[in-house]
Amino acid sequence: MNSSIKKFIENISYTFLVNLLSVIISTILIIIVPKVVSVETYGYWQLYIFYTYIISFMSLGLSEGVYLRFGGCDYKSLNKPIFASQYWFLLMVNILVDFTFACIYSTYSTNSNKTLVVFLTCLAGVLIAPRSLLSLTLQTTNRIYEYSIAYILERAIYFVLVIVFLLLGIKNFVFLILSDIVGKICSVIYTIYTCKEIVFRRFPSIKKSLKEIKINISIGSKLLIANFASLFIVGSVRLLIDNNWSVETFGKVSLTLSISNMLMLFINAIGIVLFPSLRRMPEEKLPSFYNTMRTLIMVPLFGMLLLYFPAKMILSFWLPQYLDSFIYMTLLFPMCIFESKMLMLINTYLKTLRKEKALLLINLFTLFLSIVLSFINVYLLSSLNLTVLSITVVLAIRCIIAELYLSKLIDIKVKKDIIIELCCTAAFIALSWYLSLFKAGMTYLLVYLFYLVIKKGEIFALRNTFNLFFRKKLS
């Protein structure tokens, strides 16, 4: 078997297993934690998780610059002294900024619980941003195995500690957060050990170090801001919910988002493996590969929407205190369709083609649209349902704009597929909202079967491609 194909399959296998374990861990935590802690405690825990997403952007674009510049490179060929100066620069900046912010916030805050959440978030930030440089270096140099071990180490320790605390009857959100921080500490230690040739090196001259830092921040800042805008497309809605409703309501919406996001873990993992592989791929092969991967993703994803119906029934029985929050699952579950395609395919292709500026503009426009719709829904209409629905709507708009732009770059036709996918998504939401669970499930199954009939040509072509590939490798 060709060594590059073998490496790609190995990397996919690593990420698949890691994310399978992550999905299992996330599922168990989603099932158990809301059941045994109060809605308020769960809300503060989710607030911390949300804040850690925000503080991860304290990489300043430096880590993203490394990711873009060195994508597809060999780890041994990296100029490690230069990387060492950048790692320690990020660490020092984050220690200074995070704890300065924590002190200022504690001075003016009147909510002691939120102050504690912010302080612990800043502590986590000192771990997250510097580690991102090492993690992205592992990803971009195709050391997916080491990256996967670091990721699952964090999740496993976090999971074990949460379960231990709950078994001991400790249900305070602080201990849930500390479980996450301990997991991150262990992951950082392993990542530093894995990248010890980078971390423990003599620095080059200050002038040379600063020059490289400036270049990476200049290149990576566009991708950083694009990612930040992407986060706040949903994050702005969550902040307005937290501001206008209670922390309990925030927790309930966050629970539904967590359930929807679980479906995207596998897709994001494949995107991690795809980037360095696409950077090595001849440009003329990109269109056909895109069409193949698109079919491979979208057909199963629309089938996965069928999981909504048994999931809602089981969770409503298991978590009756969150019964009203499962109404939002109808509106949020389809977001996985658009986010998965965006994360795995469109983002990865735009980064491969070095169109991070276009990605930035698309995300900024969508963020602006999200903020406008959220303000209307929250402050003018006071409708939580419309506020939640706006998340799926703006993510769909972003995905459509980005894919149409990408289709022009690599000369592919996607308009027909986009229309079909929008119709299927609208049918899912309408059926789930207005019909009983059983009737909606049966009707959507018919919609999905009709979708498969429409896509049968691409499905058979995909099957033939895989059959041909494996026949060649076995012969």
Side-chain angles (χ1 to χ4, degrees):
M1 184 181 289
N2 183 283
S3 59
S4 61
I5 295 175
K6 183 179 179 182
K7 184 68 174 176
F8 181 79
I9 293 173
E10 285 178 356
N11 289 338
I12 287 288
S13 301
Y14 295 145
T15 53
F16 178 83
L17 290 173
V18 165
N19 283 275
L20 176 62
L21 288 171
S22 185
V23 166
I24 292 170
I25 289 171
S26 299
T27 303
I28 294 172
L29 290 179
I30 286 173
I31 290 172
I32 292 177
V33 176
K35 179 72 173 179
V36 299
V37 304
S38 68
V39 177
E40 183 183 18
T41 294
Y42 188 78
Y44 282 118
W45 183 40
Q46 288 298 310
L47 201 59
Y48 161 79
I49 293 172
F50 175 52
Y51 287 166
T52 55
Y53 289 145
I54 297 174
I55 209 164
S56 65
F57 291 95
M58 274 299 294
S59 64
L60 308 176
L62 200 157
S63 302
E64 289 75 12
V66 167
Y67 182 71
L68 291 171
R69 286 181 69 196
F70 300 97
C73 290
D74 186 75
Y75 181 79
K76 294 178 181 177
S77 68
L78 299 177
N79 188 339
K80 296 179 179 65
I82 288 292
F83 278 66
S85 64
Q86 296 179 67
Y87 173 79
W88 289 102
F89 169 79
L90 270 182
L91 182 61
M92 293 300 107
V93 167
N94 275 269
I95 289 173
L96 177 64
V97 173
D98 289 343
F99 284 102
T100 300
F101 179 80
C103 292
I104 293 172
Y105 186 89
S106 62
T107 302
Y108 296 99
S109 175
T110 56
N111 186 322
S112 59
N113 285 334
K114 277 194 177 181
T115 301
L116 193 52
V117 169
V118 168
F119 179 81
L120 292 171
T121 302
C122 290
L123 179 60
V126 174
L127 303 169
I128 294 169
R131 182 187 61 178
S132 69
L133 178 69
L134 304 180
S135 297
L136 288 176
T137 300
L138 291 175
Q139 288 180 35
T140 200
T141 56
N142 231 11
R143 294 183 66 185
I144 303 299
Y145 175 77
E146 291 86 350
Y147 166 78
S148 301
I149 294 296
Y151 180 76
I152 200 59
L153 183 67
E154 175 186 335
R155 297 292 295 169
I157 292 172
Y158 166 56
F159 170 73
V160 169
L161 288 176
V162 168
I163 297 300
V164 168
F165 284 133
L166 294 179
L167 288 174
L168 292 174
I170 302 172
K171 300 177 183 179
N172 192 300
F173 70 88
V174 174
F175 290 92
L176 299 177
I177 293 173
L178 288 176
S179 301
D180 179 68
I181 291 174
V182 172
K184 283 181 167 54
I185 290 172
C186 294
S187 174
V188 166
I189 292 171
Y190 174 80
T191 308
I192 288 174
Y193 173 76
T194 302
C195 301
K196 54 184 179 293
E197 305 92 344
I198 289 177
V199 178
F200 304 110
R201 296 293 290 242
R202 185 185 296 273
F203 299 168
S205 66
I206 295 177
K207 183 178 179 181
K208 190 173 182 180
S209 296
L210 290 176
K211 181 182 177 182
E212 282 292 315
I213 290 169
K214 183 180 178 181
I215 291 171
N216 285 330
I217 290 177
S218 175
I219 292 173
S221 58
K222 296 184 186 70
L223 182 57
L224 176 79
I225 298 170
N227 291 339
F228 190 77
S230 177
L231 171 69
F232 260 83
I233 292 169
V234 178
S236 60
V237 181
R238 295 179 71 183
L239 283 174
L240 287 173
I241 289 172
D242 178 45
N243 184 62
N244 202 58
W245 286 281
S246 64
V247 72
E248 289 85 357
T249 302
F250 179 88
K252 289 178 179 180
V253 174
S254 296
L255 174 63
T256 309
L257 280 169
S258 298
I259 295 167
S260 302
N261 286 333
M262 278 198 307
L263 296 178
M264 294 186 288
L265 283 172
F266 289 112
I267 300 299
N268 191 37
I270 296 172
I272 289 170
V273 177
L274 267 183
F275 177 69
S277 301
L278 288 176
R279 286 295 294 267
R280 298 188 180 103
M281 185 179 290
E283 195 166 323
E284 63 270 15
K285 291 186 178 181
L286 291 177
S288 60
F289 188 73
Y290 182 90
N291 288 327
T292 300
M293 294 304 296
R294 195 185 194 285
T295 303
L296 188 62
I297 295 169
M298 301 309 292
V299 171
L301 274 176
F302 277 104
M304 286 172 68
L305 288 182
L306 289 165
L307 295 174
Y308 161 81
F309 303 102
K312 183 179 179 182
M313 181 176 64
I314 294 168
L315 289 170
S316 298
F317 173 77
W318 179 253
L319 299 171
Q321 68 271 40
Y322 289 86
L323 192 60
D324 53 340
S325 73
F326 297 129
I327 297 171
Y328 312 134
M329 280 180 66
T330 301
L331 308 175
L332 286 175
F333 224 61
M335 68 178 268
C336 69
I337 298 291
F338 305 106
E339 274 295 80
S340 296
K341 182 167 50 169
M342 191 77 191
L343 282 172
M344 179 185 166
L345 275 180
I346 301 172
N347 275 5
T348 308
Y349 262 73
L350 290 177
K351 286 185 286 187
T352 300
L353 297 169
R354 293 303 309 272
K355 297 296 182 181
E356 56 268 16
K357 183 177 180 180
L359 181 61
L360 168 62
L361 293 174
I362 291 168
N363 283 347
L364 286 176
F365 169 75
T366 314
L367 174 59
F368 172 76
L369 183 63
S370 176
I371 292 171
V372 170
L373 287 177
S374 298
F375 266 94
I376 293 172
N377 292 328
V378 172
Y379 295 110
L380 296 182
L381 303 177
S382 295
S383 172
L384 186 56
N385 289 340
L386 287 177
T387 303
V388 173
L389 177 61
S390 69
I391 294 175
T392 299
V393 170
V394 295
L395 290 178
I397 292 171
R398 179 181 68 156
C399 186
I400 292 167
I401 294 172
E403 189 168 28
L404 289 174
Y405 172 73
L406 178 61
S407 69
K408 292 181 179 178
L409 291 178
I410 60 175
D411 193 25
I412 55 173
K413 296 179 180 179
V414 294
K415 291 181 181 178
K416 178 184 173 183
D417 287 318
I418 289 173
I419 293 170
I420 293 170
E421 289 158 9
L422 285 176
C423 291
C424 290
T425 304
F428 172 84
I429 293 175
L431 292 169
S432 304
W433 189 262
Y434 291 108
L435 298 181
S436 68
L437 202 61
F438 178 78
K439 288 181 180 178
M442 290 297 100
T443 311
Y444 178 73
L445 177 60
L446 293 176
V447 172
Y448 180 60
L449 292 174
F450 183 65
Y451 170 75
L452 293 179
V453 171
I454 295 173
K455 300 290 290 182
K456 66 180 180 181
E458 291 96 323
I459 295 170
F460 285 133
L462 183 64
R463 187 191 67 178
N464 293 336
T465 300
F466 276 103
N467 287 341
L468 182 63
F469 172 78
F470 285 111
R471 279 198 203 103
K472 284 183 177 180
K473 298 308 168 187
L474 292 173
S475 61

